[in-house]
Amino acid sequence: MKIIEPSAVLMRDFDGAEVMKFLELCGRTAYQSKKNITNDSAEKFMKNLIRSVIEK
């Protein structure tokens, strides 16, 4: 049997800012706080979310 090393290839480029906005939308949906989304709220939300996970 031939062993094949796992690998992954990104099929397209992605915009990190857009990814953070999507993650904010997911998180705020879970926390029922979508009304707090603004054009520049994603970074702060994600930092707070990460901080809350690390501090547990």
Side-chain angles (χ1 to χ4, degrees), residues 5-56:
E5 292 295 321
S7 64
V9 177
L10 294 177
M11 299 303 290
R12 60 187 173 104
D13 291 333
F14 62 92
D15 179 355
E18 290 301 314
V19 170
M20 285 205 351
K21 287 180 181 181
F22 178 71
L23 292 173
E24 178 189 23
L25 175 61
C26 294
R28 288 197 182 276
T29 299
Y31 287 109
Q32 298 179 355
S33 63
K34 290 194 311 185
K35 65 181 182 290
N36 296 329
I37 294 175
T38 64
N39 287 334
D40 60 348
S41 61
E43 183 175 352
K44 182 178 177 183
F45 178 81
M46 293 305 298
K47 284 181 180 180
N48 289 336
L49 185 62
I50 291 168
R51 186 177 301 118
S52 73
V53 170
I54 291 172
E55 292 175 354
K56 285 188 176 183

